Amino acid sequence: MERRRLLNAGAGFSLAAVAGQTITPGAAHAATTPAATTAPADGGTTTAGHRCSGTPVSTFGTASLTAAIVGTTVLGDHAYVVARGQNPTLVGEIDLTTRRLGRTFRLDRGDGGWAATVSGGQVYIGTYPFPDIHRIDPTTGTVTRIGTIGPAGGFVWCLTTAPDGTVYAGTSPRGEVWEYKPQTGTLRNLGGAMAGEQYVRAIAADDRYVYAGTLPRGFIVAYDRTTGVKRSITPTPYGGASALLARGGRVYGSFGRSIVDLAPDGSDAKVIPIPAPERIADAMTVTADGTLYCVGRPSGTVYRRDGDTLVKVAAPATGDEHRALVPLPDGKMLGAVGSGRLWWLDLPTGKAEITELIDIGLSGPDPVQSIAYESGGTVHVGGHYSLTTHRPAHGTSQRIRIPGEPKTLRAIGGKVYAAMYPSTEFLEIDPRRGKVRSMGFIENEQQRPTDMAYVPEADLLLVASAPPAGGLKGALTLVERSRGRLTVHKDVITDQSVMSVAVDDRIGHRTAYLAGDTWGGGSVTPTRPNATIVAYDLRRRTVLWEATPVPGNASLQHIEVHRGILYGVYKRQSGNWFAMDLETRTVLRTGKLPSYGEISVHFGQVYASVFGGSVYRLGPLGTGDDEAELVLGGLGDGWYNPPQLAWERATWHAWGVATRALARLRLDPLCPSGTPSQITAQYEAVLKGLLAN
């Protein structure tokens, strides 16, 4: 699910909140700076003027280029595709005959739109993180915002058109169905589909009813289109909805690992299991002869229904997500792929042709998923469906397609290791050869990898993960890199996601520390009041102890350990941070940041990089008041996930993002680089340059 905006909506970051601060190194700060004992390559003297010369931020072009798409619909001989993560929302018009990009349309706001449909020769788009409905008139080229149908941070997940042209929408987080009548211009809220279901994830309509498919449990709720009266027609919940159709007097739905075929009143239900390799069917259609087709995820295989089974037809785009499946008048099938591809499939022969949207010009700078630095000056950036390897000194970059979103990366021995959302696949990538190898799947009712740590002595990677919506139990996965073996420990923090994992940095210790989130995957009531820390013995593979650092905080975002002190930052309450002595489990310090993000340790200093484009120094704890100190601000909003830092080993520089440009950041704690309000304009100019290109 697209959650970054929703999660960050309550962060409360304000440039004004930190503007005007005077940043000066305190006595404790100066005493603990490693300059006196360590000689980083870019500053071996304590003379501030020398250390702080030069620019604090150097940019190196777009960090990650993407053509990823979300909503897709077809009108006549044109497809309309909504780009993902482009602000304001970008819609491309693709000529299906020439397979070229024609016009592009910019909506007035938003980052994208999962929902798209056609009514009366007009194209309708439902957007996020403002849940708006927009109309595009292809004849005049005009774009109109019809209305907003939910709170800021919400989504319009699905749109459909009834036979009379009425448009229906499904939303989150209130799980509502809305109706728009183009003939009269009226917009009506039909209300929430089912108590406890926050998502109407799929929608369909016929002459009498509009049908809502919910998530996380997976109900089909039928609304009478005249009276608005609703009732569940689901014999039993089948798992979260992903697609829904109403055709020929039947209702077809993709729910969990099943395709459901039932009458409009819920009777005569037939349940068809999807093939074993698949987790869901993420796009469906019915052809003129009544044959049902669907696409499985993660394989990307097209299946045809044959009685009570699904028969493989072809796999035009393997390992990808699908946004739409559309029969064309010439008998071919059109598929729209999340990574930014369209394919045309000849059903009798199974032969397919593919057009890359990035090659025809529908692309832009990607909100960054993850980043890793490799000795020798190579920087790896994870984006939607891609890993981009940059060699800034040579001015080169290489983009490798990968299946999904790399939530966290590690560069080890010339290879890059990526934990993927939503498949939970663990990948080994050889950037020099352009090779991608699967090391397996975490699975075990997990969906979102959240963090990764490495234990060099054991050649062991530790991966934290969260369940999908409706689940509470996260996992810690141990990846034996040389053997290629994954071992999953589910519910290692009882009824919490595992959001972060850190390894004790003291010699002789083999303990991992895990940070929890009581909200799990969301859309479910937590069973525990506070997020906790767990100490985990990597030898015995057992929990040693559990502690609540600061009561009243439901979700930890990230932790790191330095010299027996565990530093953590909360997501709920956003920006709260603490430092805890691991031996006594005593909290030594608490504080407040403007938002949340990730913590890292470099040259004995503890940093927090947070949403809103700022980097703060949290420690080590000294003799002063130990307030968080702003080291660098004004980096803009270029991250899809919580902001990360990829440190160079021998300098005060880390690699990150300025707006959506790859950036080398000087983070010397003796050289704070102004306040966000003073330098934001510089990076807004960078973003304008990226968008112009």
Side-chain angles (χ1 to χ4, degrees), residues 309-366:
T309 61
L310 295 174
V311 178
K312 180 178 179 179
V313 177
T318 58
D320 218 322
E321 302 173 14
H322 280 71
R323 307 298 184 223
L325 196 61
V326 183
L328 297 177
D330 61 3
K332 291 185 178 181
M333 189 77 74
L334 175 71
V337 179
S339 63
R341 294 187 280 180
L342 296 181
W343 53 252
W344 287 257
L345 175 65
D346 183 77
L347 292 172
T349 66
K351 293 182 178 179
E353 300 174 87
I354 294 178
T355 292
E356 299 278 356
L357 299 183
I358 202 167
D359 292 338
I360 64 174
L362 189 70
S363 61
D366 201 1

Side-chain angles (χ1 to χ4, degrees), residues 472 492-500 513-520 526-535 545-559 566 568-574 576 578 580 587:
L472 289 173
V492 67
I493 313 178
T494 304
D495 284 351
Q496 297 184 59
S497 296
V498 183
M499 292 300 294
S500 182
Y513 298 92
L514 314 179
D517 181 353
T518 64
W519 283 41
T527 65
R528 305 189 64 183
N530 300 300
T532 61
I533 298 289
V534 156
W545 52 259
E546 185 173 6
T548 301
V550 186
N553 292 272
S555 306
L556 272 158
Q557 179 60 49
H558 203 257
I559 59 174
L566 184 146
V569 61
Y570 286 100
K571 179 169 62 180
R572 301 178 182 92
Q573 305 290 328
S574 179
N576 285 351
F578 65 91
M580 183 177 77
V587 173

Side-chain angles (χ1 to χ4, degrees), residues 12-366:
F13 178 80
S14 169
L15 294 178
V18 290
Q21 294 181 8
T22 301
I23 309 297
T24 57
H29 183 161
T32 57
T33 180
T37 57
T38 306
D42 55 354
T45 173
T46 56
T47 304
H50 176 72
R51 289 176 63 138
C52 302
S53 61
T55 178
V57 179
S58 301
T59 56
F60 296 85
T62 302
S64 177
L65 189 67
T66 185
I69 59 173
V70 275
T72 302
T73 192
V74 171
L75 174 59
D77 56 1
H78 289 86
Y80 293 84
V81 298
V82 187
R84 183 173 189 171
Q86 304 305 305
N87 185 288
T89 301
L90 172 66
V91 181
E93 180 186 68
I94 313 296
D95 189 312
L96 296 177
T97 303
T98 64
R99 304 183 184 179
R100 294 182 178 275
L101 177 65
R103 294 176 292 181
T104 58
F105 305 89
R106 286 280 184 179
L107 310 187
D108 64 350
R109 63 182 185 176
D111 285 353
W114 284 91
T117 193
V118 168
S119 177
Q122 311 283 294
V123 177
Y124 291 85
I125 306 294
T127 62
Y128 64 87
F130 304 100
D132 301 326
I133 298 178
H134 289 80
R135 180 177 60 228
I136 298 174
D137 185 337
T139 302
T140 64
T142 58
V143 178
T144 304
R145 191 197 325 162
I146 293 168
T148 301
I149 58 174
F155 286 65
V156 181
W157 283 109
C158 47
L159 290 172
T160 194
T161 303
D164 65 354
T166 303
V167 174
Y168 291 94
T171 72
S172 75
R174 299 193 299 217
E176 295 172 336
V177 171
W178 287 71
E179 174 189 84
Y180 175 70
K181 289 186 173 293
Q183 302 91 333
T184 62
T186 56
L187 192 62
R188 178 172 64 138
N189 185 359
L190 299 183
M194 176 71 66
E197 299 289 272
Q198 293 184 328
Y199 297 82
V200 171
R201 189 63 181 84
I203 199 163
D206 57 23
D207 288 321
R208 183 172 179 183
Y209 298 104
V210 55
Y211 306 91
T214 71
L215 189 150
R217 288 179 292 170
F219 293 90
I220 304 175
V221 179
Y223 294 72
D224 187 296
R225 294 180 51 212
T226 302
T227 66
V229 174
K230 66 185 179 185
R231 67 186 182 94
S232 172
I233 62 171
T234 316
T236 181
Y238 297 101
S242 55
L244 202 61
L245 296 171
R247 296 284 192 278
R250 303 290 292 181
V251 179
Y252 305 94
S254 172
F255 289 82
R257 294 177 180 266
S258 301
I259 301 292
V260 182
D261 170 6
L262 68 169
D265 63 359
S267 64
D268 190 29
K270 299 177 176 62
V271 180
I272 306 164
I274 63 175
E278 312 296 357
R279 288 172 176 77
I280 62 170
D282 57 9
M284 293 195 308
T285 192
V286 174
T287 54
D289 64 1
T291 303
L292 175 73
Y293 289 83
C294 66
V295 187
R297 187 197 297 181
S299 77
T301 300
V302 178
Y303 296 95
R304 181 187 71 249
R305 181 183 179 181
D306 186 357
D308 293 332
T309 61
L310 295 174
V311 178
K312 180 178 179 179
V313 177
T318 58
D320 218 322
E321 302 173 14
H322 280 71
R323 307 298 184 223
L325 196 61
V326 183
L328 297 177
D330 61 3
K332 291 185 178 181
M333 189 77 74
L334 175 71
V337 179
S339 63
R341 294 187 280 180
L342 296 181
W343 53 252
W344 287 257
L345 175 65
D346 183 77
L347 292 172
T349 66
K351 293 182 178 179
E353 300 174 87
I354 294 178
T355 292
E356 299 278 356
L357 299 183
I358 202 167
D359 292 338
I360 64 174
L362 189 70
S363 61
D366 201 1

